[in-house]
Amino acid sequence: MPDILKKLAELIGFLPGIGEKTAVKLAFFLLKSHPSYLKKLSETLAELQDTVHECATCGSLTDKQHVECEICRNPLRKTEVLCVVEDYLDLVSIERLGVHHGRYHVLGWVISPISGTSPSDLHLKQLFQRIESEEIDELILALNPNIEGEATALYIDEYNPKKGLKISRLSKGLPNAGFIEYADEITLLSAFRGRK
Amino acid sequence: MPDILKKLAELIGFLPGIGEKTAVKLAFFLLKSHPSYLKKLSETLAELQDTVHECATCGSLTDKQHVECEICRNPLRKTEVLCVVEDYLDLVSIERLGVHHGRYHVLGWVISPISGTSPSDLHLKQLFQRIESEEIDELILALNPNIEGEATALYIDEYNPKKGLKISRLSKGLPNAGFIEYADEITLLSAFRGRK
């Protein structure tokens, strides 16, 4: 294989979820693609990290020319309900639903003794500052339903500076179109207990 | 989402086998990746098409500084056995096996009336010239086992300039670890007739 194609396949192979064979396939596709597409892709990648930065308020992402992200800048978004997520992709998933009209706070990480992430690594200080300074009535903890998510939720519940603040979590249960016989015990128990 | 992230996700979404969600995930991963990785990827993409071109003999790929590819330049590769493939990725798959010690000829396309590919679009003229000028004893037609592959194989068999040339095709049968009950009729019939 020509050196550059090998190198490109290797670089593409570092991307999550892309195996060696797919990487070669994609490298070949890129080689055969329209030059203008390739140019755009190359330029976009070169500019990417210099064009985007974290929102000063919520830790989400925004264009370099703005200090705050689009959601924090939007006066129509409610300040009373704050949705706490682990990372930006979780925010994107929830935004797609169109059901949350409040704002967000992106933690960046979750507490995980195994991978060595302690509470001080998360954007918790900023979160607690917001709880104190903003008019927040409800905190929705939209964290993944696993041990790290639970630990982080417990920590926030314990240390949030406004006692009596309403804190909710996403419900656990059967995924849509899932099967009871394939559900693990914790999921099924949650679904059973959370029946409506 | 910041404009550049949206744009990048859109560009990545054009790649084969990558859906909208995966594209966003990859764009986000790239944003968070090491700057030197991103720089390398961007530069490699920018150089790609100017660095690689088709081998003048077999239609495979080679670095710009060489007229012929590595295989055609290798004096240890046999000239008697020529393996004909549709595209470069098929060549890569066969090379990985290490069983073919001859050379290759890459057609670029296969005959397909539906997608409007006629014999003149394929590198057939060069193939027939090679059959006439090189010392070729056997032609292995390693084409996909579908209608287009069959049509192309029949065309080569019919119009090859050296009558009596040994032409072979890859065998059809059950894929390894496949199931008889799930095999389609043509595959099972091929496996049955080709029993050894």
Side-chain angles (χ1 to χ4, degrees):
Chain A
M1 222 190 285
D3 284 342
I4 193 161
L5 213 62
K6 248 186 243 168
K7 190 178 148 194
L8 181 60
E10 205 181 300
L11 289 168
I12 293 175
F14 282 121
L15 297 172
I18 292 182
E20 196 196 331
K21 271 201 170 180
T22 311
V24 172
K25 210 171 174 144
L26 289 176
F28 185 70
F29 175 87
L30 287 163
L31 176 70
K32 295 281 172 186
S33 65
H34 197 279
S36 75
Y37 167 77
L38 210 57
K39 191 165 171 270
K40 251 189 222 163
L41 184 60
S42 162
E43 286 171 356
T44 308
L45 288 171
E47 291 167 18
L48 184 62
Q49 292 183 333
D50 290 333
T51 316
V52 175
H53 72 156
E54 279 186 3
C55 168
T57 305
C58 75
S60 159
L61 298 173
T62 181
D63 297 310
K64 209 76 179 188
Q65 67 262 41
H66 297 290
V67 179
E68 283 190 318
C69 70
E70 223 174 308
I71 294 172
C72 287
R73 277 182 284 132
N74 186 347
L76 296 173
R77 301 292 294 227
K78 289 185 195 160
T79 49
E80 301 90 47
V81 189
L82 190 69
C83 181
V84 178
V85 293
E86 178 181 344
D87 68 25
Y88 182 68
L89 287 185
D90 296 334
L91 182 157
V92 171
S93 295
I94 294 170
E95 269 302 281
R96 254 196 217 117
L97 301 175
V99 290
H100 176 57
H101 307 295
R103 304 189 175 197
Y104 290 91
H105 192 82
V106 181
L107 295 175
W109 304 88
V110 277
I111 299 169
S112 167
I114 293 169
S115 58
T117 322
S118 70
S120 60
D121 296 318
L122 282 59
H123 294 171
L124 282 171
K125 214 177 115 190
Q126 297 90 323
L127 173 65
F128 295 156
Q129 275 171 358
R130 290 183 77 182
I131 293 174
E132 281 191 309
S133 64
E134 293 179 22
E135 298 282 324
I136 295 166
D137 294 336
E138 184 183 354
L139 213 60
I140 302 174
L141 302 182
L143 301 166
N144 289 325
N146 53 26
I147 295 176
E148 291 80 9
E150 299 284 346
T152 310
L154 283 175
Y155 187 92
I156 293 172
D157 198 20
E158 183 76 21
Y159 293 99
N160 106 74
K162 202 191 273 177
K163 295 305 156 197
L165 176 69
K166 190 176 161 192
I167 298 182
S168 62
R169 307 215 33 205
L170 300 191
S171 74
K172 279 201 264 192
L174 297 171
N176 184 36
F179 294 95
I180 290 177
E181 61 175 302
Y182 295 139
D184 64 288
E185 282 178 19
I186 297 177
T187 303
L188 195 53
L189 195 64
S190 304
F192 203 82
R193 285 187 179 153
R195 65 194 183 275
K196 285 180 191 168
Chain B
M1 224 191 281
D3 284 343
I4 193 160
L5 213 63
K6 247 187 243 167
K7 191 177 149 195
L8 181 60
E10 204 181 300
L11 289 168
I12 293 175
F14 282 121
L15 296 172
I18 292 184
E20 195 196 331
K21 272 202 170 181
T22 310
V24 172
K25 210 170 173 144
L26 290 176
F28 185 70
F29 175 88
L30 287 163
L31 176 69
K32 295 281 171 186
S33 65
H34 198 280
S36 74
Y37 167 77
L38 209 58
K39 190 166 172 266
K40 250 188 222 163
L41 184 60
S42 162
E43 286 171 357
T44 308
L45 288 171
E47 292 166 19
L48 184 63
Q49 292 183 332
D50 290 334
T51 317
V52 175
H53 72 156
E54 279 187 3
C55 167
T57 305
C58 75
S60 161
L61 299 174
T62 181
D63 296 310
K64 208 78 180 188
Q65 67 261 43
H66 297 290
V67 179
E68 284 190 317
C69 71
E70 225 174 307
I71 294 172
C72 287
R73 278 182 284 133
N74 186 347
L76 296 172
R77 301 291 296 225
K78 289 184 194 163
T79 49
E80 301 91 46
V81 189
L82 190 70
C83 181
V84 178
V85 292
E86 178 180 343
D87 66 27
Y88 182 68
L89 287 185
D90 297 334
L91 181 157
V92 171
S93 295
I94 294 170
E95 268 302 280
R96 255 197 215 116
L97 300 176
V99 291
H100 176 57
H101 307 294
R103 305 190 175 199
Y104 290 90
H105 192 83
V106 181
L107 295 175
W109 305 88
V110 277
I111 298 169
S112 167
I114 292 168
S115 57
T117 323
S118 70
S120 61
D121 296 317
L122 282 59
H123 293 172
L124 282 171
K125 215 177 115 189
Q126 297 90 322
L127 173 66
F128 294 157
Q129 274 170 0
R130 289 182 76 181
I131 293 173
E132 280 191 311
S133 61
E134 293 178 23
E135 296 285 323
I136 294 166
D137 294 338
E138 184 183 353
L139 213 59
I140 302 174
L141 302 182
L143 301 167
N144 288 325
N146 53 26
I147 294 175
E148 291 80 8
E150 299 285 345
T152 310
L154 283 175
Y155 187 92
I156 293 172
D157 197 23
E158 182 78 21
Y159 291 100
N160 106 75
K162 203 193 272 177
K163 295 303 158 200
L165 176 68
K166 190 175 161 192
I167 297 181
S168 63
R169 306 213 36 204
L170 300 191
S171 74
K172 278 201 264 191
L174 297 172
N176 184 36
F179 294 95
I180 290 177
E181 63 176 300
Y182 295 138
D184 64 288
E185 282 178 19
I186 296 176
T187 302
L188 195 53
L189 194 64
S190 304
F192 202 82
R193 284 187 179 153
R195 66 191 182 276
K196 281 178 193 168

